[in-house]
Amino acid sequence: MIKQIGNKVYRRFDKELLCIESWGKNSFRVRATQRHEFVSDDISALIPQEECEIKVHEKEGCIEIENGKLRCEITPTGKLRFFHQNGRLLLEEFERIRSDYRKEYNSALEIVPRTFEPIQNADDFKLTVRFEPVDGEKLYGMGQYQQSYLDVKGCTLELAQRNSQASVPFALSSNGYGFLWNNPAIGTVTFGKNVTEWKANSTKQMDYWITAGDTPAEIEEAYANVTGKVPMMPEYGTGFWQCKLRYMTQDEILEVAREYKRRGLPISVIVVDYFHWPNQGDWKFDKDFWPDPKAMVEELKEMGIELMVSIWPTVEETSENYVEMEELGLLTRSEYGKRLGQLNVASVIDVTNPETRSYVWEKIKKHYYDLGIKIFWLDEAEPELTGYEFSHYRYFRGSDMEIGNIYPKEYARMAYEGMEAEGQENIVNLLRCAWAGSQKYGALVWSGDIDSSFRSLRCQLAAGLNMGLAGLPWWTTDIGGFHGGNIHDPNFHEVLIRWFEFGAFCPVMRLHGFREPFIPGLSDSGGGKHRSGSENEVWSYGEEVLEICTKYLQLRERLRPYVTELMQEAHEKGTPIMRPMFYDFPDDKKAWEIEEQYMFGPNLLVAPILYENQRERTLYLPEGTWRNINDNKEYAGNQVITVAAPLDQLPVFAKAGTLEEL
């Protein structure tokens, strides 16, 4: 049975209810369930849109639905096909059944496009949705995975959040469409050669969104319109951020800030990292080591430096807030018996509960915000469970298996809505994870606790580019990596330098890491019982490193007006700040093959050095005339060139006539 109600078309057949509706221009939202009705939208990544008029008609036994450039075809068997308005097939569901429908390929396999496998004694299903592969297709986006592949075609990706992994299930296709898996359940996707297969381990319905566009930019803008756009980045966000694990006292962090100023080195943000609190879940400074945080904030502001403070979602039983939060039901629950100990034997706040978000924000406001701290580091945003035993945990909104991927989005929402209620504009907070729509809550995502190596650096390039295409234009990385990196090791110095050069051309330039050798804690209790890493300031690695870092700090300062322009475009259109070559040159077939260089906005081509002892770089210049900012030599486009890359030079090319200040 087919029925149209406004901009929605329903198909009911036996156990399945299917709904296709317009959701933004040139786009459809597609839902299906074997329950009697669809669930509410409170876990959806999509935001309401003005209804777009659709055209519905029957053609050769199929129902066709048109919305601008996108046409959906429902076959008599219920299979879906999606076409560009010019007739080109974009995507179709995978079906292998015996059919008397003359257009279909008959098969004895009996595989249907959408499989709802019941979960015994539950109202959920294990869902599998299958699509035909597209020959020659390339796929990008999907968030952040610790692999060096920019094109994720051929990959199997876990749809789950982990430290250094952010599952943001939006894929941009070289075939001219964008696809959002609008389902926060734990699962997997396989972009196989023989089939594309999306799986949700526990869910009540299928829910995805698809759009058609003539360019990657058009697709990205459509996606940003339906999931939200970042606020405008505040001015301090475009500068240099200094951080380490971890400044242990108020005096230490102030002395670092003063030294930057004494040396005349640019700095915009400095960071108080974790365990500055007496206990996890206290959400306040340990007075033994941070006696006057208000005075600290004021002194830093006088120096033109913004203070960012780490917030964790963990609550120890020794916290002054634990008993009350347990009584009020504000903590993540265990599916089986007594609450399980989580990271560092602490419980995790349940940010899917609006009461939790309100409770914790009031603590943050009292102990941080009211002191003048206006930017937060929302760490442990996955959250980082002990072994990611997703089946063991339950939230206010449902089981971890069903809705777990929304946790980082709701965590960002907690701080954003609290700050917004105080009248703050241009809100940015640093998070270690994200899901679709996190960007509208001011989420600046960094790539987590990664290794300090060239191999890891190569993975971060792919991560940053794919995060931008997944709708998160604000992205950063621990310059130098997080794990390891001895400050006295010349081999690590090379990694740090090349990473620092790359960091100058990231949306946010942020130095962080847990450097070796480690430094013991200051006491046996409170914020003093945890160790720190070695120094991690630009002068900590010797004169050669300092000289090169200073060069790129100054370069970043000259870049800041340009970065501000890029931030404005991200705010208005959802445009990625760093993006693959094909984004700006979609008609250039070569640009779709390039994975180790990128565009930083429309005018800068960046070719990072990603391998040890590499002192020259081969790269591709697309159409136009390009100027090497290192020697001002100009090159014609549409060619592959090799340029020198000594340790103090990152190959960067500006479009002729632009950014001459570099």
Side-chain angles (χ1 to χ4, degrees), residues 84-116:
H84 192 280
Q85 65 179 5
N86 62 15
R88 180 166 56 87
L89 178 65
L90 300 174
L91 184 68
E92 66 175 316
E93 291 184 326
F94 182 102
E95 184 180 67
R96 298 291 184 272
I97 63 173
R98 298 183 192 268
S99 174
D100 59 3
Y101 177 53
R102 66 184 180 86
K103 284 188 176 182
E104 292 302 311
Y105 173 73
N106 274 280
S107 172
L109 295 173
E110 294 299 315
I111 300 173
V112 295
R114 306 176 292 273
T115 303
F116 292 85

Side-chain angles (χ1 to χ4, degrees), residues 213-414:
D214 296 327
T215 65
E218 184 181 0
I219 294 168
E220 285 295 319
E221 289 174 25
Y223 174 59
N225 286 335
V226 300
T227 57
K229 300 164 188 169
V230 290
M232 181 59 191
M233 175 67 74
E235 187 274 337
Y236 57 76
T238 64
F240 173 66
W241 298 31
Q242 172 62 46
C243 185
K244 64 163 281 186
L245 190 158
R246 60 187 184 96
Y247 297 119
M248 293 191 284
T249 69
Q250 179 173 325
D251 288 342
E252 182 184 9
I253 200 169
L254 284 173
E255 185 53 36
V256 168
R258 294 166 187 151
E259 184 64 18
Y260 267 95
K261 291 298 177 179
R262 280 195 290 266
R263 292 173 177 264
L265 297 172
I267 178 173
S268 294
V269 177
I270 198 165
V271 184
V272 175
D273 202 347
Y274 72 170
F275 289 103
H276 63 269
W277 44 72
N279 301 284
Q280 295 179 72
D282 286 349
W283 298 297
K284 64 182 183 182
F285 288 98
D286 186 331
K287 291 292 188 180
D288 288 343
F289 305 101
W290 307 85
D292 194 349
K294 188 173 187 296
M296 172 180 61
V297 171
E298 291 172 353
E299 181 176 346
L300 290 169
K301 285 186 180 292
E302 288 174 2
M303 289 188 275
I305 302 171
E306 203 71 24
L307 181 67
M308 180 169 71
V309 172
S310 174
I311 302 292
W312 275 28
T314 49
V315 188
E316 296 175 276
E317 291 187 357
T318 53
S319 168
E320 63 186 18
N321 298 312
Y322 181 88
V323 172
E324 184 177 28
M325 294 191 77
E326 184 181 41
E327 290 177 349
L328 294 173
L330 306 182
L331 302 173
T332 300
R333 306 168 192 180
S334 170
E335 287 281 44
Y336 308 105
K338 187 179 180 181
R339 177 174 293 108
L340 299 176
Q342 297 172 306
L343 185 65
N344 291 329
V345 200
S347 295
V348 172
I349 63 175
D350 182 358
V351 292
T352 74
N353 185 343
E355 292 183 9
T356 304
R357 297 197 297 269
S358 179
Y359 180 96
V360 176
W361 170 251
E362 286 305 313
K363 304 295 181 183
I364 294 170
K365 178 180 181 302
K366 179 180 179 181
H367 298 300
Y368 298 118
Y369 195 87
D370 289 348
L371 302 179
I373 298 165
K374 308 301 183 189
I375 178 172
F376 296 100
W377 179 359
L378 304 177
D379 207 344
E380 296 289 327
E382 303 79 22
E384 189 175 12
L385 309 176
T386 48
Y388 300 102
E389 310 95 336
F390 303 112
S391 63
H392 286 313
Y393 301 106
R394 176 167 290 274
Y395 301 112
F396 174 82
R397 289 300 314 141
S399 72
D400 197 3
M401 294 293 286
E402 183 184 7
I403 60 93
N405 282 320
I406 67 169
Y407 191 99
K409 182 178 124 178
E410 297 300 284
Y411 192 26
R413 178 183 182 182
M414 177 185 75

Side-chain angles (χ1 to χ4, degrees), residues 368-527:
Y368 298 118
Y369 195 87
D370 289 348
L371 302 179
I373 298 165
K374 308 301 183 189
I375 178 172
F376 296 100
W377 179 359
L378 304 177
D379 207 344
E380 296 289 327
E382 303 79 22
E384 189 175 12
L385 309 176
T386 48
Y388 300 102
E389 310 95 336
F390 303 112
S391 63
H392 286 313
Y393 301 106
R394 176 167 290 274
Y395 301 112
F396 174 82
R397 289 300 314 141
S399 72
D400 197 3
M401 294 293 286
E402 183 184 7
I403 60 93
N405 282 320
I406 67 169
Y407 191 99
K409 182 178 124 178
E410 297 300 284
Y411 192 26
R413 178 183 182 182
M414 177 185 75
Y416 181 88
E417 291 184 343
M419 297 160 82
E420 186 180 48
E422 294 300 314
Q424 186 171 339
E425 299 178 344
N426 302 339
I427 297 167
V428 56
N429 291 308
L430 184 69
L431 286 96
R432 202 171 64 188
C433 206
W435 194 63
S438 288
Q439 66 276 3
K440 66 178 178 284
Y441 296 125
L444 162 64
V445 183
W446 98 96
S447 57
D449 295 349
I450 51 176
D451 189 54
S452 296
S453 63
F454 276 106
R455 176 180 175 179
S456 179
L457 175 56
R458 293 192 289 276
C459 294
Q460 306 326 303
L461 174 59
L465 293 174
N466 275 328
M467 280 293 277
L469 294 175
L472 281 297
W474 291 355
W475 179 86
T476 185
T477 180
D478 291 353
I479 290 176
F482 178 78
H483 287 296
N486 191 300
I487 65 171
H488 306 298
D489 181 2
N491 292 324
F492 175 64
H493 293 176
E494 183 181 6
V495 174
L496 179 72
I497 288 168
R498 293 307 197 185
W499 214 311
F500 202 92
E501 293 168 351
F502 166 65
F505 296 91
C506 286
V508 166
M509 185 183 187
R510 171 179 158 273
L511 180 62
H512 185 54
F514 192 11
R515 301 289 174 250
E516 300 174 1
F518 302 134
I519 299 171
L522 300 176
S523 73
D524 296 326
S525 63

Side-chain angles (χ1 to χ4, degrees), residues 142-147 152 155-169 181 183-191 197-201 382 387-390 401 405 433-435:
M142 292 301 299
Q144 172 178 276
Y145 292 86
Q146 292 305 315
Q147 59 185 37
V152 297
C155 294
T156 294
L157 304 176
E158 181 187 42
L159 303 176
Q161 316 293 7
R162 296 174 182 259
N163 185 340
S164 76
Q165 175 176 296
S167 176
V168 189
W181 180 250
N183 190 320
I186 305 300
T188 58
V189 60
T190 297
F191 297 114
E197 199 168 71
W198 296 83
K199 292 186 175 183
N201 293 339
E382 303 79 22
Y388 300 102
E389 310 95 336
F390 303 112
M401 294 293 286
N405 282 320
C433 206
W435 194 63

Side-chain angles (χ1 to χ4, degrees), residues 67 74 138 158 182 220 256 318 480 525 541 556 575:
N67 179 18
I74 311 174
K138 296 179 180 294
E158 181 187 42
N182 188 33
E220 285 295 319
V256 168
T318 53
S525 63
Y541 300 91
R556 178 71 180 202
T575 307

